[in-house]
């Protein structure tokens, strides 16, 4: 409505003069008849600024989805000519045409159900309600907004398993690796010699996770993936992620520095959050987006706190605490306990270290058996420290290698 309003105002002068007073008025109420006749008589005498003001009010009403008949346009009488109070206020011809069309549609559909536009408990309107400018878009509306077919650019996001056995990953490896080198040199000031294929493969391609596609999991399965951002047939960014049973873990992002103006770090994070929501619809337990470590004093890591709602893990009790409660403490100290309950402890702390699993001399054994073979007193302290860090559950599921 707003984009065509100014042109419509200029055209209304001609439209009012050409308005056919003899048109079919049977469907209009008496007050609309009188308004139409009055409009035909007085339209030439209205001042331009009065029409502009009336047009704006009509635009506001129509855009809000209110029925057009509720819009009243008052004209100020010229000096020396009193207004006829026995007649209803004059109304714009355009408004009356809208009223006529609305009533005609209601005649065709006595139930008053104009598809798509009618709100419950309100008369039907010819126009859908105008979206409020202060109403924020949902993340999905922002990310998946459709573009016209003749758009200047085309962005495509591809999810590729991080495996050389995957043909798509293998065919795009060279381009992806070149992008990684360009990013590391420009953004992190690495030397080109430090960014070889071996380092890149070890860092972001060789994953300890084994790919798994259980029937109750997401269609893409679990494992490590590269989320490639293709702009006009060229990779401009790659987000390395792990898809796990309970979360999507963001591992790393590298992008073309020439496209820094697009804020690809922020955009990729929003895409990954939206992707996590999609996976959650299929796999309900997959419900978190994990951004890794947060370092309050490091700008390259502090940005993660901008995404809300977010939680930080208490380093002593291992419970998640809203970041808003953690920030005041982090301003005062680089290390702090987030859990405000002084009595709280880690519920999964190591309580039975003898059950900890050790891999020693190509054999798996409980720590209770292993420690009987050791005479070094420092060995026990190291193992107990490991147990306190990983907790009881993980200490029984992982293998601590000892030589």
């Amino acid at each position: 409505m707003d984009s065509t309003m100014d042109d419509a105002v200029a055209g209304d002068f001609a439209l009012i003069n050409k308005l056919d007073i003899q048109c079919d008025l049977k469907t209009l109420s008496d007050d609309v008849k009188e308004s139409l006749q009055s409009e035909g008589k007085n339209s030439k005498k209205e001042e331009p600024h009065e029409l502009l003001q009336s047009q704006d009010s009509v635009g506001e009403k129509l855009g809000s989805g209110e029925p057009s008949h509720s819009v009243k346009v008052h004209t100020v009488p010229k000096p020396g000519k009193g207004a006829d109070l026995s007649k209803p206020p004059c109304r714009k011809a355009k408004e009356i045409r809208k009223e006529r069309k609305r009533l005609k549609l209601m005649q065709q559909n006595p139930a008053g159900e104009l598809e798509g536009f009618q709100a419950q408990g309100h008369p039907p309107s010819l126009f859908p309600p105008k979206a409020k400018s202060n109403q924020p878009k949902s993340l999905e509306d922002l990310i998946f907004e459709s573009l016209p077919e003749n758009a200047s650019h085309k962005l495509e996001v591809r999810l590729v398993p991080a495996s050389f056995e995957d043909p798509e990953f293998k065919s795009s490896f060279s381009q992806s690796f070149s992008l990684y080198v360009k990013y590391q040199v420009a953004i992190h000031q690495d030397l080109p010699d430090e960014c070889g294929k071996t380092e890149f493969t070890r860092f972001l391609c060789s994953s300890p996770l084994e790919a798994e596609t259980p029937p109750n999991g997401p269609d893409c399965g679990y494992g490590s993936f590269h989320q490639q951002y293709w702009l006009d047939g060229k990779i401009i960014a790659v987000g390395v992620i792990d898809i796990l049973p309970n979360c999507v873990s963001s591992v790393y992002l590298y992008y073309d520095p020439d496209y820094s103006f697009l804020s690809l770090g922020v955009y990729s994070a929003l895409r990954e959050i939206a992707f996590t929501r999609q996976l959650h619809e299929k796999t309900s337990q997959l419900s978190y987006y994990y951004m890794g470590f947060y370092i309050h004093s490091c700008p390259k890591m502090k940005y993660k706190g901008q995404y809300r709602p977010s939680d930080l893990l208490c380093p002593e009790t291992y419970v998640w605490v809203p970041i808003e409660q953690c920030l005041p403490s982090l301003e005062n100290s680089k290390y702090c306990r987030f859990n405000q309950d002084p009595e709280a402890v880690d519920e999964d702390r190591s309580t039975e270290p003898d059950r900890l699993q050790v891999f020693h001399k190509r054999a798996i054994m409980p720590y209770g058996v292993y420690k009987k073979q050791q005479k070094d007193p420092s060995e026990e302290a190291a193992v107990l420290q490991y147990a306190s860090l990983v907790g009881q559950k993980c200490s029984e599921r992982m293998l601590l290698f000892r030589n």
Side-chain angles (χ1 to χ4, degrees):
M1 289 294 292
D2 293 342
S3 61
T4 59
M5 197 58 70
D6 295 336
D7 295 336
V9 170
D12 269 352
F13 289 94
L15 287 172
I16 292 173
N17 291 333
K18 293 179 181 179
L19 184 63
D20 185 4
I21 307 296
Q22 302 302 319
C23 62
D24 182 14
L25 300 178
K26 293 179 180 178
T27 59
L28 299 179
S29 58
D30 293 338
D31 64 326
V32 175
K33 284 185 185 179
E34 293 188 39
S35 297
L36 179 60
Q37 293 166 359
S38 177
E39 183 71 13
K41 294 176 183 177
N42 299 329
S43 60
K44 294 183 181 180
K45 298 180 182 179
E46 287 184 343
E47 293 297 326
H49 77 273
E50 293 170 0
L51 279 174
L52 286 170
Q53 183 179 10
S54 304
Q55 187 70 47
D56 288 340
S57 65
V58 172
E60 292 173 4
K61 290 288 186 178
L62 291 175
S64 67
E66 293 183 23
S68 58
H69 69 267
S70 67
V71 182
K72 300 292 185 182
V73 181
H74 300 274
T75 56
V76 181
K78 292 232 174 177
K81 294 185 178 181
D84 188 352
L85 299 179
S86 64
K87 294 184 177 181
C90 295
R91 301 171 63 203
K92 284 181 58 59
K94 188 173 183 179
E95 177 197 343
I96 296 171
R97 291 197 304 276
K98 304 288 187 189
E99 176 76 9
R100 187 189 309 123
K101 186 175 180 180
R102 186 184 72 82
L103 293 174
K104 187 175 181 180
L105 287 173
M106 289 184 69
Q107 270 193 331
Q108 295 173 357
N109 187 359
E113 297 175 355
L114 299 182
E115 291 186 3
F117 294 157
Q118 185 175 5
Q120 186 175 2
H122 295 280
S125 170
L126 295 178
F127 297 93
K130 196 175 193 177
K132 295 181 180 179
S133 59
N134 61 349
Q135 189 79 9
K137 282 187 174 182
S138 71
L139 179 58
E140 284 72 18
D141 289 341
L142 175 68
I143 295 298
F144 303 114
E145 186 174 5
S146 60
L147 296 176
E149 293 183 1
N150 61 345
S152 302
H153 301 281
K154 179 184 178 182
L155 175 68
E156 183 182 1
V157 181
R158 302 178 188 173
L159 185 70
V160 181
S163 169
F164 287 99
E165 297 179 1
D166 184 83
E168 195 169 358
F169 178 84
K170 194 173 181 179
S171 64
S172 61
F173 177 82
S174 179
Q175 188 179 165
S176 181
F177 168 66
S178 299
L179 177 64
Y180 167 77
V181 175
K182 184 177 182 180
Y183 169 81
Q184 292 295 126
V185 171
I187 303 299
H188 295 289
Q189 288 76 50
D190 287 357
L191 297 176
D193 295 342
E194 300 173 335
C195 308
K197 285 188 178 181
T198 302
E199 289 76 15
F200 171 66
T201 302
R202 176 189 58 79
F203 180 32
L204 296 175
C205 302
S206 297
S207 171
L209 300 178
E210 292 188 7
E212 184 182 349
T213 311
N216 60 342
D219 295 336
C220 59
Y222 299 128
S224 297
F225 297 83
H226 283 199
Q227 204 162 38
Q228 301 173 341
Y229 295 79
W230 291 75
L231 181 64
D232 301 332
K234 166 186 166 185
I235 300 179
I236 63 167
V238 177
V240 183
I241 61 174
D242 290 334
I243 300 178
L244 304 170
N246 294 316
C247 72
V248 170
S249 176
S250 179
V251 178
Y252 201 70
L253 173 79
Y254 53 97
Y255 57 85
D256 191 334
D258 296 340
Y259 293 87
S260 296
F261 64 93
L262 292 177
S263 300
L264 291 170
V266 175
Y267 181 72
S268 64
L270 294 177
R271 288 287 307 216
E272 289 170 5
I273 293 171
F275 179 53
T276 305
R277 288 183 175 182
Q278 283 185 317
L279 297 179
H280 174 72
E281 292 180 2
K282 172 71 167 56
T283 310
S284 59
Q285 74 269 19
L286 200 164
S287 51
Y288 295 99
Y289 175 61
Y290 180 64
M291 303 188 75
F293 289 106
Y294 175 82
I295 304 176
H296 190 66
S297 57
C298 177
K300 289 184 178 180
M301 303 292 276
K302 188 177 180 179
Y303 76 92
K304 300 176 184 180
Q306 298 173 355
Y307 300 90
R308 306 292 175 88
S310 291
D311 296 332
L312 291 179
L313 191 67
C314 176
E316 296 182 4
T317 62
Y318 296 96
V319 295
W320 294 100
V321 181
I323 193 171
E324 294 85 353
Q325 299 178 25
C326 305
L327 294 181
S329 301
L330 289 171
E331 290 289 345
N332 298 325
S333 174
K334 291 183 178 179
Y335 175 84
C336 54
R337 172 191 171 108
F338 298 141
N339 195 326
Q340 300 300 315
D341 182 3
E343 303 297 326
V345 295
D346 176 17
E347 296 294 336
D348 188 42
R349 65 191 181 281
S350 177
T351 55
E352 299 179 80
D354 284 355
R355 297 179 59 181
L356 179 151
Q357 298 296 300
V358 176
F359 185 68
H360 178 61
K361 292 183 178 181
R362 299 185 179 183
I364 299 173
M365 63 189 73
Y367 175 65
V369 175
Y370 168 77
K371 71 179 180 180
K372 293 178 182 179
Q373 306 173 13
Q374 303 303 312
K375 297 179 180 180
D376 185 358
S378 63
E379 179 72 0
E380 183 177 9
V383 174
L384 293 179
Q385 182 187 28
Y386 161 81
S388 68
L389 290 172
V390 302
Q392 186 67 39
K393 290 180 183 177
C394 285
S395 70
E396 295 180 32
R397 293 174 56 194
M398 303 194 301
L399 298 178
L400 175 63
F401 174 74
R402 313 309 286 170
N403 57 22

Short mmCIF file of all heavy atoms in Angstrom, two decimals, residues 188 250-252 291-307 312 323:
data_model
loop_
_atom_site.label_atom_id
_atom_site.label_comp_id
_atom_site.label_asym_id
_atom_site.label_seq_id
_atom_site.Cartn_x
_atom_site.Cartn_y
_atom_site.Cartn_z
N HIS A 188 44.11 -14.98 10.30
CA HIS A 188 44.91 -15.39 11.46
C HIS A 188 46.42 -15.18 11.26
O HIS A 188 47.21 -15.58 12.11
CB HIS A 188 44.62 -16.86 11.80
CG HIS A 188 43.22 -17.09 12.25
ND1 HIS A 188 42.74 -16.66 13.47
CD2 HIS A 188 42.18 -17.71 11.64
CE1 HIS A 188 41.47 -17.01 13.60
NE2 HIS A 188 41.10 -17.65 12.50
N SER A 250 29.31 -26.80 16.81
CA SER A 250 30.03 -25.99 15.83
C SER A 250 31.52 -26.10 16.09
O SER A 250 32.01 -25.70 17.15
CB SER A 250 29.57 -24.53 15.93
OG SER A 250 30.26 -23.72 15.00
N VAL A 251 32.27 -26.64 15.12
CA VAL A 251 33.69 -26.89 15.30
C VAL A 251 34.53 -25.73 14.80
O VAL A 251 35.40 -25.21 15.52
CB VAL A 251 34.10 -28.19 14.57
CG1 VAL A 251 35.60 -28.44 14.70
CG2 VAL A 251 33.31 -29.37 15.11
N TYR A 252 34.29 -25.28 13.56
CA TYR A 252 35.14 -24.24 12.96
C TYR A 252 34.43 -23.64 11.76
O TYR A 252 33.53 -24.27 11.18
CB TYR A 252 36.47 -24.86 12.53
CG TYR A 252 37.61 -23.86 12.36
CD1 TYR A 252 38.17 -23.23 13.46
CD2 TYR A 252 38.12 -23.55 11.10
CE1 TYR A 252 39.22 -22.32 13.32
CE2 TYR A 252 39.16 -22.66 10.94
CZ TYR A 252 39.71 -22.04 12.05
OH TYR A 252 40.75 -21.14 11.91
N MET A 291 28.37 -24.17 20.88
CA MET A 291 29.35 -23.30 20.23
C MET A 291 30.76 -23.47 20.78
O MET A 291 31.68 -22.76 20.38
CB MET A 291 28.93 -21.83 20.37
CG MET A 291 27.56 -21.54 19.81
SD MET A 291 27.16 -19.79 19.76
CE MET A 291 28.14 -19.25 18.38
N GLY A 292 30.95 -24.40 21.71
CA GLY A 292 32.30 -24.65 22.21
C GLY A 292 32.64 -23.74 23.38
O GLY A 292 31.78 -23.25 24.09
N PHE A 293 33.93 -23.52 23.56
CA PHE A 293 34.40 -22.76 24.73
C PHE A 293 34.12 -21.27 24.59
O PHE A 293 34.20 -20.71 23.51
CB PHE A 293 35.89 -23.00 24.95
CG PHE A 293 36.22 -24.37 25.44
CD1 PHE A 293 36.79 -25.32 24.61
CD2 PHE A 293 35.93 -24.74 26.74
CE1 PHE A 293 37.08 -26.59 25.06
CE2 PHE A 293 36.21 -26.00 27.21
CZ PHE A 293 36.79 -26.93 26.37
N TYR A 294 33.80 -20.67 25.72
CA TYR A 294 33.57 -19.22 25.80
C TYR A 294 34.68 -18.60 26.65
O TYR A 294 34.92 -19.03 27.78
CB TYR A 294 32.21 -18.94 26.44
CG TYR A 294 31.93 -17.47 26.68
CD1 TYR A 294 31.47 -16.65 25.66
CD2 TYR A 294 32.13 -16.90 27.94
CE1 TYR A 294 31.21 -15.31 25.87
CE2 TYR A 294 31.88 -15.56 28.17
CZ TYR A 294 31.43 -14.77 27.13
OH TYR A 294 31.18 -13.44 27.34
N ILE A 295 35.38 -17.62 26.08
CA ILE A 295 36.44 -16.92 26.81
C ILE A 295 36.06 -15.45 26.87
O ILE A 295 36.09 -14.74 25.86
CB ILE A 295 37.82 -17.11 26.15
CG1 ILE A 295 38.12 -18.61 26.01
CG2 ILE A 295 38.90 -16.41 26.96
CD1 ILE A 295 39.40 -18.92 25.28
N HIS A 296 35.69 -14.99 28.05
CA HIS A 296 35.12 -13.66 28.21
C HIS A 296 36.14 -12.56 27.87
O HIS A 296 35.75 -11.49 27.39
CB HIS A 296 34.63 -13.48 29.65
CG HIS A 296 33.83 -12.23 29.86
ND1 HIS A 296 32.59 -12.04 29.28
CD2 HIS A 296 34.09 -11.10 30.58
CE1 HIS A 296 32.12 -10.87 29.64
NE2 HIS A 296 33.01 -10.28 30.42
N SER A 297 37.40 -12.82 28.10
CA SER A 297 38.43 -11.79 27.88
C SER A 297 39.00 -11.82 26.47
O SER A 297 39.88 -11.01 26.14
CB SER A 297 39.57 -11.97 28.89
OG SER A 297 40.12 -13.27 28.79
N CYS A 298 38.53 -12.72 25.62
CA CYS A 298 39.05 -12.85 24.26
C CYS A 298 37.97 -12.46 23.25
O CYS A 298 36.94 -13.14 23.15
CB CYS A 298 39.50 -14.29 24.00
SG CYS A 298 40.07 -14.58 22.32
N PRO A 299 38.16 -11.35 22.51
CA PRO A 299 37.12 -10.91 21.56
C PRO A 299 36.75 -11.97 20.53
O PRO A 299 35.60 -12.05 20.10
CB PRO A 299 37.76 -9.69 20.89
CG PRO A 299 38.78 -9.20 21.87
CD PRO A 299 39.30 -10.42 22.56
N LYS A 300 37.72 -12.80 20.11
CA LYS A 300 37.43 -13.83 19.11
C LYS A 300 36.54 -14.93 19.66
O LYS A 300 35.99 -15.73 18.90
CB LYS A 300 38.74 -14.43 18.59
CG LYS A 300 39.53 -13.46 17.71
CD LYS A 300 40.77 -14.13 17.14
CE LYS A 300 41.54 -13.18 16.24
NZ LYS A 300 42.75 -13.81 15.66
N MET A 301 36.43 -15.02 20.97
CA MET A 301 35.58 -16.04 21.59
C MET A 301 34.37 -15.43 22.31
O MET A 301 33.37 -16.11 22.52
CB MET A 301 36.40 -16.84 22.61
CG MET A 301 37.63 -17.51 22.04
SD MET A 301 37.21 -18.83 20.89
CE MET A 301 36.95 -20.17 22.04
N LYS A 302 34.48 -14.15 22.63
CA LYS A 302 33.42 -13.50 23.41
C LYS A 302 32.14 -13.30 22.59
O LYS A 302 31.04 -13.18 23.15
CB LYS A 302 33.93 -12.15 23.92
CG LYS A 302 33.01 -11.45 24.90
CD LYS A 302 33.64 -10.16 25.41
CE LYS A 302 32.73 -9.45 26.39
NZ LYS A 302 33.36 -8.21 26.91
N TYR A 303 32.28 -13.27 21.25
CA TYR A 303 31.11 -13.02 20.40
C TYR A 303 30.01 -14.05 20.61
O TYR A 303 28.83 -13.79 20.33
CB TYR A 303 31.54 -13.03 18.93
CG TYR A 303 31.80 -14.42 18.39
CD1 TYR A 303 30.78 -15.14 17.76
CD2 TYR A 303 33.04 -15.03 18.52
CE1 TYR A 303 31.00 -16.42 17.29
CE2 TYR A 303 33.27 -16.31 18.04
CZ TYR A 303 32.25 -17.00 17.43
OH TYR A 303 32.47 -18.27 16.97
N LYS A 304 30.37 -15.24 21.11
CA LYS A 304 29.38 -16.31 21.27
C LYS A 304 28.29 -15.92 22.26
O LYS A 304 27.18 -16.45 22.20
CB LYS A 304 30.08 -17.58 21.75
CG LYS A 304 31.13 -18.09 20.78
CD LYS A 304 31.87 -19.31 21.33
CE LYS A 304 32.97 -19.77 20.40
NZ LYS A 304 33.70 -20.94 20.91
N GLY A 305 28.60 -15.00 23.17
CA GLY A 305 27.61 -14.57 24.14
C GLY A 305 26.52 -13.69 23.57
O GLY A 305 25.56 -13.35 24.27
N GLN A 306 26.64 -13.31 22.29
CA GLN A 306 25.62 -12.44 21.68
C GLN A 306 24.35 -13.21 21.30
O GLN A 306 23.32 -12.60 21.03
CB GLN A 306 26.20 -11.78 20.42
CG GLN A 306 27.40 -10.88 20.70
CD GLN A 306 28.03 -10.37 19.42
OE1 GLN A 306 27.63 -10.76 18.31
NE2 GLN A 306 29.01 -9.51 19.54
N TYR A 307 24.44 -14.52 21.24
CA TYR A 307 23.28 -15.32 20.84
C TYR A 307 22.51 -15.74 22.09
O TYR A 307 23.08 -16.33 23.00
CB TYR A 307 23.75 -16.55 20.05
CG TYR A 307 24.52 -16.17 18.80
CD1 TYR A 307 25.90 -16.02 18.83
CD2 TYR A 307 23.87 -15.96 17.59
CE1 TYR A 307 26.61 -15.66 17.70
CE2 TYR A 307 24.57 -15.60 16.46
CZ TYR A 307 25.94 -15.45 16.52
OH TYR A 307 26.64 -15.09 15.39
N LEU A 312 26.07 -21.16 30.05
CA LEU A 312 27.47 -21.54 30.25
C LEU A 312 27.52 -22.68 31.26
O LEU A 312 26.71 -22.74 32.19
CB LEU A 312 28.30 -20.35 30.74
CG LEU A 312 28.54 -19.21 29.74
CD1 LEU A 312 29.36 -18.11 30.39
CD2 LEU A 312 29.22 -19.72 28.49
N ILE A 323 23.67 -17.28 30.71
CA ILE A 323 24.86 -16.44 30.59
C ILE A 323 24.69 -15.08 31.26
O ILE A 323 25.66 -14.49 31.74
CB ILE A 323 25.24 -16.26 29.10
CG1 ILE A 323 26.65 -15.66 28.97
CG2 ILE A 323 24.20 -15.44 28.36
CD1 ILE A 323 27.19 -15.66 27.56
#
